[in-house]
Every structure is written in C-alpha cells, then in structure tokens.
Amino acid sequence: MSLEKTATAPLASTDTSNAAGLLAGIDMGSNSFRLEIGQIVRGRYKRIDYLKETVRLGGGLDADGMLTEEASLRGLVCLARFAERLQGFGPQQVRAVATQTLREAKNRDAFLARAQAVLGHPIEVISGREEARLIYAGVARLMPPSAGRRLVIDIGGRSTEMILGEGRAPLVAESFQIGSVGLSMRYFPAGRYTSEGFRAAQVAAGAELEEALEIFAPGQWSEALGSSGTVGAVSQLLLASGITDGTITPDGLRWCIEQCLRAGEVERLVLPGLKDERRPVLGGGLSILYTLAIHFGIDALRPARGALRQGVIFDLDERRSAARDSRHVHDVRDESVQQLQERFGVDLEQAGRVAQVAETLYRSIEPPGDGEALRQLRWAAALHELGMMVSHHDHHRHSAYLLAHVDAPGFSQSEQRRLANLVLGQRGGLRKLEEPLQDEGFAWQALCLRLAALLCHARRLPSLGEISLRRTGRSAELSTSRGWEQAHPRAIFLLKEEAQAWERSGVLRLVLHALD
C-alpha cells in the first residue's frame, strides 16, 4: 500500500471529538518538522499538543538543487504521523508552511503534491521575509511586553531570520540563506570539528550577514531574543553545563566551540543537555551564533518563548476572524494589497469597479462558505492593473510578474503564484493558463475576473441589475437585457470572443443569453 493511501486511512486510535475550537500550525523546516496545536480564548494562547521530528530535509538537497527521494520519504513519513493527529480538523483549522529548503528545491512542486496528499491539507511555501514576520508574531504574542525595541533571531537549518520589532509590530524583517544544516555539511564534513572549519564557517556566515550590520546595529535595539531550535539547544547546553543561566554570551559560545574541538568529531561530543539529534548540526549553529554575537554586539541572547509555528497559529486565527467579519478584523494581506496599490499607482476607482463586478458574479455561481476564494478574487481584482506602472502594453503580464516576485507580507509564495496566474489570465487567450485551469475553483475565479475586466473595459461600472450569471455544472450562462445589449455593442462583441475562448479551452463553457 502506498504512503499516500496509508496516511488517509481512518485511525481508530485518534480522538476527533475535541478538535472543534482548536488550531494547528505546521512548520516544515530544513532540520525539523513541527506540529503545534493550540487554542486562543479571549486573546490568551494555550498549547494543547506539540509534536516534533528531526527530518533533515535540508540535508537532502543534492548538488543540482533537487530534493532526494530519501529525504522526501523522511518528510512524508513525518507528515503521515501529523495527519493522524489532525484527524477531525477542518480545512480552516490547519495551516502548514514550508521554509528555505522548499524555497530552494527545484523539484518542490512534485514533493508538495505528494506531501499534501499525505497530510490532507494544503502546504504553503513562504518567503524568507514572511517567515521572519511570522516568527516575530509568535515571539511577540508569547513574551512579556517590552518598553524598548527587540532584536529577534531564528537560526534554522538553511536560513537565518533577523527581525527588529517594537511591541507586536515588526519594523524590519530579513532572511539570510545561511543555516545550521548547510554550514555543518559544508565546513564540518563527516562530522569532524577543526579550527579551520570553524573559522571558514564564521567567514561564510559573516559574508552573508554583512549587509545587515547597519540595520540591526546595537543602537537599534535594547534586548536580543533567540527563537527556535539552535538557540534553544545552545541555551540548554550552557545551562546544564553550569556555564551560564541559559543566556547565550560570547564567552559561552567560545566555551562550546572549544568543547567541539576537544571532542574532534560529532560522535565523541558528549555534553550535558545536548540531545543526539542536535549534535550533527551544532557546529554550523555555533558558527552563526558566534558571528552574530561578535559582529552585531550581542552580549546576551536570551531564549524566547514563541516561534514560527505559533506565529502561524496566530495568523490563522486572524484570517479566520477576518473571514467572519472583515469590518472589525484587518487581515495583514489586505494591508499588503493596499500598500502595493499605492506603491505602483493603481487606479483605485477602476480596481474597485472590477472588484465589485467580479464579486457580484462570483457570489451568484459559488455557494457561500468559501470566503478565502472570494478574498483571493478581490485581491486579484484590486491588483490586476499593477503592471500599468511598467507599461500599458501587455500590462497583465507585468502585473503577473510583479505579483509573483514582490514581497507581500501575509502572503505565501503559493498564494502569490495563484494571484499572479489570475491577473495573467484577466485578458487574452487561455492557453497560458492551461495548468492552473485544471483546478476547477481557479477556473471559476478566472472566469469572473475576466468577465469583470471586460464589462468594465470602458472604465465605467456596468448596470449590474441588467446582467446575471448562472452556473449549471461546468457551464455558465451570462444573461443580459435586450436594452443593455443594444446600448453596449462593443461589450457584446467582446463577450462573444470570450465565449469562444472558453469553448477552445475545453475547461468551462460560457453561454450568452439575451432576456426580453
């Protein structure tokens, strides 16, 4: 039996009766996969369950940037166990995010297809800056309030995130492609510790982090906190060995490095508080920490409560609240859309017209409940003319490129690709969307956006009382009044061409009908 089939089988041992009201965040990191289940009641967070497995996905990238089958299977087996624990959770209760390794892997789409089948939930690949934003969200919500600015550092398997924040607001969030797994594999081959290896690893870390020296200089913050695995492991090691109270200091890091050199190799390194799973990547983690301490003037780095997985849960809770009542809760993605409109000089009146028509059409063909799909359609309409800033000619292509590559807080890379495909498909032939259109939900979104852009092509709002859209199976019937048809011959011409385009696509069928 295949792994995919095994993972979706019902499990008698899993209690599904208490899933209501719970939220789950999954962090598919380069070193470990983590599942956290929590509950937020009146703004207070309570952890219900936490599962962690050392997967070393980042160690499975070969020289060509391809994820090996061995590493893929380690990840799939872990996700199958997570799926068991998540039996009974609805789609709006779970959010899974993947980080640097899957940002890099050239064959990530193939892995994600298998992984989503095993997990039973979508997996979002998030950008480095989005990862940093979510890390800060987890730390800021779970740590006591601070009067000053905080520097938060998270060293992962293949990336390091640095965030400067005040209160719950991240002011600067950056991600650097340097991590404990990558450095350990490169500079401590076969698990051997050498002085030359540590020096080379520190130089490599310094070269990657050098551009951030001014942004995160000591005068910019009053407290330094470390999140997640590497910081937690080193803090525990220092505490258990009686070197510090768990605070990470330059002297404490030098002591740790000296213990590695005395041992000579990973298998001989035995220290109080050091777990076996952490030993193979300790050298790389220590190299990054020491570089950060020296170059950024960090005399004391304290381990923080909160990490990416909790940030994912808090963000999911905000999304759910916004979907229930957008008047009172502001989704950070809405803010990103507004900022992009301002940055690229979008015609807000036209964007509003297209969004209104697209939403009206979509509500008439889709049953209520899929609020996220409707929000995606609104965002695509709001940004469909983003590329006008580049050129009026083929602006839909420029819009798609910008949406696929711009930093947009709150959006995952997969969400941005979906929006990019929607705005790419706002006009012209449908062949360029052949693959995305295999998703029927996407096809209906694309149809509504195309019709809205077409009906507003004169940059005026059409009379929606004289236009209606009805869905029957995979066919859509667009009805217009005779009077409207006679008053808008150019729109009718364009609608007939649109019907022909969908007929050629073989995906959906658009039927035009004039009412007496």
Side-chain angles (χ1 to χ4, degrees):
M1 181 179 289
S2 70
L3 181 61
E4 286 81 2
K5 291 181 180 178
T6 301
T8 56
L11 296 158
S13 61
T14 303
D15 180 8
T16 65
S17 60
N18 297 318
L22 302 182
L23 298 176
I26 298 172
D27 166 12
M28 294 170 55
S30 298
N31 190 51
S32 303
F33 283 11
R34 295 175 169 89
L35 164 64
E36 174 123 342
I37 297 173
Q39 190 173 37
I40 302 173
V41 180
R42 292 185 292 275
R44 296 181 64 85
Y45 178 74
K46 178 182 179 182
R47 175 191 279 183
I48 303 299
D49 203 357
Y50 173 52
L51 304 177
K52 172 190 171 185
E53 292 195 21
T54 302
V55 174
R56 301 217 198 291
L57 198 68
L61 279 181
D62 64 21
D64 297 320
M66 303 290 284
L67 195 61
T68 65
E69 181 63 14
E70 182 182 2
S72 297
L73 286 175
R74 290 198 301 269
L76 295 174
V77 168
C78 175
L79 291 176
R81 283 192 277 268
F82 286 0
E84 293 180 13
R85 181 61 183 86
L86 292 172
Q87 290 287 328
F89 280 69
Q92 304 303 317
Q93 293 175 268
V94 180
R95 188 180 179 201
V97 300
T99 57
Q100 186 62 36
T101 294
L102 290 179
R103 289 196 285 266
E104 292 182 50
K106 294 179 180 178
N107 58 339
R108 72 175 185 182
D109 289 343
F111 172 76
L112 286 172
R114 299 168 69 188
Q116 289 173 153
V118 169
L119 183 62
H121 295 277
I123 297 170
E124 305 172 28
V125 179
I126 56 176
S127 70
R129 284 183 174 173
E130 177 64 6
E131 180 181 355
R133 186 189 72 83
L134 290 171
I135 288 167
Y136 188 83
V139 171
R141 289 282 293 270
L142 293 181
M143 290 293 289
S146 172
R149 290 185 174 184
R150 282 170 163 162
L151 172 64
V152 175
I153 294 168
D154 188 301
I155 300 172
R158 295 189 74 89
S159 70
T160 293
E161 282 65 48
M162 299 180 71
I163 311 98
L164 181 66
E166 191 168 2
R168 291 188 179 181
L171 304 176
V172 182
E174 296 291 349
S175 179
F176 304 92
Q177 294 185 33
I178 198 88
S180 60
V181 172
L183 278 190
S184 296
M185 291 175 63
R186 182 172 181 181
Y187 295 104
F188 306 103
R192 293 190 298 272
Y193 293 125
T194 65
S195 297
E196 294 76 14
F198 274 106
R199 280 195 295 270
Q202 289 164 27
V203 168
E208 180 69 21
L209 297 166
E210 189 173 29
E211 64 183 273
L213 288 174
E214 186 174 341
I215 302 172
F216 300 105
Q220 301 293 331
W221 46 271
S222 58
E223 179 185 28
L225 300 173
S227 167
S228 207
T230 295
V231 170
V234 174
S235 172
Q236 183 61 33
L237 188 161
L238 291 171
L239 176 63
S241 301
I243 305 302
T244 73
D245 62 355
T247 301
I248 297 174
T249 64
D251 285 343
L253 291 168
R254 281 190 283 268
W255 180 85
C256 290
I257 292 172
E258 181 60 32
Q259 303 314 302
C260 292
L261 293 173
R262 286 183 180 178
E265 56 187 54
V266 168
E267 296 304 321
R268 296 175 58 188
L269 182 64
V270 180
L271 293 171
L274 179 62
K275 297 179 181 179
D276 289 343
E277 66 192 46
R278 181 58 53 176
R279 285 191 300 169
V281 297
L282 182 63
L286 288 172
S287 299
I288 297 172
L289 276 172
Y290 190 72
T291 302
L292 288 165
I294 299 304
H295 289 275
F296 292 87
I298 303 174
D299 295 325
L301 180 69
R302 296 191 299 114
R305 295 181 60 202
L308 174 61
R309 59 191 182 275
Q310 288 97 354
V312 167
I313 289 177
F314 295 136
D315 202 59
L316 177 59
D317 181 59
E318 290 178 359
R319 291 185 179 190
R320 282 159 50 93
S321 298
R324 288 193 297 268
D325 188 354
S326 59
R327 296 169 300 174
H328 299 104
V329 182
H330 192 65
D331 189 321
V332 68
R333 294 173 295 178
D334 292 324
E335 186 175 323
S336 290
V337 169
Q338 293 172 6
Q339 291 173 349
L340 288 172
Q341 287 181 317
E342 293 172 6
R343 188 193 310 178
F344 292 97
V346 169
D347 181 340
L348 298 182
E349 290 187 1
Q350 177 66 359
R353 285 188 286 264
V354 172
Q356 181 179 343
V357 175
E359 180 175 348
T360 300
L361 295 174
Y362 192 76
R363 286 184 181 276
S364 69
I365 60 170
E366 283 293 314
D370 193 356
E372 191 67 14
L374 182 57
R375 291 168 73 78
Q376 289 171 355
L377 183 58
R378 288 193 199 122
W379 292 324
L383 299 172
H384 78 286
E385 289 189 339
L386 203 67
M388 286 283 197
M389 175 64 76
V390 179
S391 172
H392 186 278
H393 178 68
D394 277 351
H395 71 82
H396 60 299
R397 297 185 185 277
H398 303 309
S399 298
Y401 180 85
L402 289 170
L403 267 176
H405 295 90
V406 74
D407 282 321
F411 287 99
S412 67
Q413 291 183 343
S414 46
E415 283 180 314
Q416 287 185 229
R417 284 201 304 274
R418 188 180 185 95
L419 292 182
N421 283 328
L422 281 172
V423 301
L424 177 63
Q426 68 184 270
R427 57 191 293 188
L430 292 166
R431 183 172 296 178
K432 58 182 176 286
L433 296 178
E434 187 173 353
E435 184 176 340
L437 285 173
Q438 300 309 306
D439 175 354
E440 186 176 350
F442 176 90
W444 287 108
Q445 288 175 311
L447 173 66
C448 290
L449 180 62
R450 288 171 66 90
L451 289 174
L454 186 158
L455 292 168
C456 297
H457 77 285
R459 307 191 89 75
R460 293 193 300 269
L461 186 68
S463 175
L464 294 176
E466 297 182 87
I467 303 169
S468 65
L469 188 66
R470 186 168 62 92
R471 174 179 174 178
T472 305
R474 295 180 69 87
S475 293
E477 182 179 294
L478 182 70
S479 299
T480 57
S481 69
R482 291 284 184 191
W484 188 91
E485 181 177 305
Q486 293 169 1
H488 299 87
R490 288 185 294 275
I492 293 299
F493 170 78
L494 294 174
L495 285 170
K496 289 179 179 179
E497 288 197 327
E498 181 69 8
Q500 292 171 6
W502 284 102
E503 190 71 32
R504 289 192 297 271
S505 77
V507 176
L508 301 176
R509 187 164 177 260
L510 176 62
V511 180
L512 305 180
H513 181 60
L515 299 174
D516 293 327

